[in-house]
Amino acid sequence: MTDSVAIVLVSGGLDSMVSAALAREAGHRVMALSFDYNQRHQIELAAARRVAATLGAERHVVMPMDLRAFGGSALTADIDVPKTGVGDDIPVTYVPARNTIFLSLALGWAEAAGARDIYIGVNALDYSGYPDCRPEFIEGFEKLAELATKAGVEGEPFHIRAPLQFMTKADIVREGARLGLDMGLSWSCYDPAPGGLHCGFCDSCRLRSKGFEEAGIPDPTKYATKP
């Protein structure tokens, strides 16, 4: 157990909720960081605030930015969110360099706050093919953090913690249950349906639903439809 500060990326999704809870379980004082990047599903920020409050974050910063200025993704441009199932290619819901951008800002806050641990809920098994969720990316960014900061150069390296890296979505659901989390507070859908419902057919909804089913744990998510 520690009593150190950890910067935790909290998107409002299930993975980031479980990652944040694991940071707390490890004894860290949680400082939550979310991003209002003008994404199409603003409802996730309400979930991020719920998650941060539920987990007792000491601070929750919602950083504004406008990635719609760049576009290039179904989440930041007028591109339809695919609903036909999870494929093998990198999908159009990939936001260019998003985790690099987010981790860079988390690194800045970590150095300013004296934190040396940064938690991110990326997952390389049941995920939608994003290159910035791979172990190679996490390892590379940790090396970058050492080279790019005063703390790193002076021998105080940062640790990029990705505790869900090699878990299936079912494993993540089971971990959430073990931690006693109300997973219904989280939000996963890329294309919310009217009434604040998960659409049920986007990649993220499919992975979430499959995770609960395979874990054998009741799914608290309210879907407009189910595939």
Side-chain angles (χ1 to χ4, degrees):
M1 295 289 285
T2 72
D3 187 34
S4 62
V5 173
I7 306 301
V8 182
L9 294 179
V10 176
S11 68
L14 176 60
D15 293 355
S16 73
M17 183 185 201
V18 174
S19 173
L22 288 169
R24 184 181 65 174
E25 184 180 58
H28 296 293
R29 293 154 46 211
V30 171
M31 309 277 261
L33 179 59
S34 305
F35 296 93
D36 182 355
Y37 59 93
N38 208 2
Q39 61 269 50
R40 69 188 296 157
H41 48 300
Q42 290 281 312
I43 194 169
E44 75 173 10
L45 287 173
R49 291 184 178 95
R50 291 194 300 267
V51 168
T54 297
L55 293 177
E58 291 191 11
R59 283 191 67 194
H60 182 205
V61 171
V62 180
M63 181 74 68
M65 63 178 70
D66 186 7
L67 294 185
R68 287 189 76 87
F70 300 156
S73 167
L75 303 188
T76 57
D78 294 325
I79 301 169
D80 289 339
V81 172
K83 301 287 184 74
T84 56
V86 180
D88 295 326
D89 297 328
I90 297 172
V92 295
T93 51
Y94 164 71
V95 178
R98 179 174 62 179
N99 284 343
T100 306
I101 295 166
F102 289 178
L103 279 173
S104 296
L105 289 164
L107 177 62
W109 190 14
E111 187 165 33
R116 295 296 176 263
D117 294 276
I118 299 171
Y119 278 72
I120 183 170
V122 294
N123 167 257
L125 294 182
D126 282 348
Y127 81 122
S128 295
Y130 300 149
D132 53 1
C133 288
R134 296 174 301 158
E136 298 93 328
F137 168 73
I138 297 299
E139 292 165 9
F141 194 92
E142 189 171 271
K143 181 62 177 175
L144 171 68
E146 181 181 343
L147 296 173
T149 59
K150 177 178 182 289
V153 168
E154 292 179 348
E156 296 183 31
F158 294 87
H159 303 288
I160 311 301
R161 308 292 187 187
L164 314 183
Q165 187 81 80
F166 301 108
M167 292 186 185
T168 65
K169 192 64 76 174
D171 292 334
I172 294 167
V173 169
R174 291 188 194 99
E175 193 72 345
R178 181 190 69 79
L179 291 161
L181 301 179
D182 179 356
M183 291 179 277
L185 296 177
S186 66
W187 181 270
S188 298
C189 182
Y190 290 147
D191 192 23
L197 302 176
H198 283 63
C199 75
F201 282 93
C202 70
D203 287 0
S204 190
C205 278
R206 289 174 186 269
L207 290 169
R208 181 183 178 106
S209 176
K210 176 174 173 276
F212 278 99
E213 182 179 351
E214 291 183 351
I217 291 171
D219 187 351
T221 313
K222 293 183 170 128
Y223 299 98
T225 53
K226 290 278 297 263

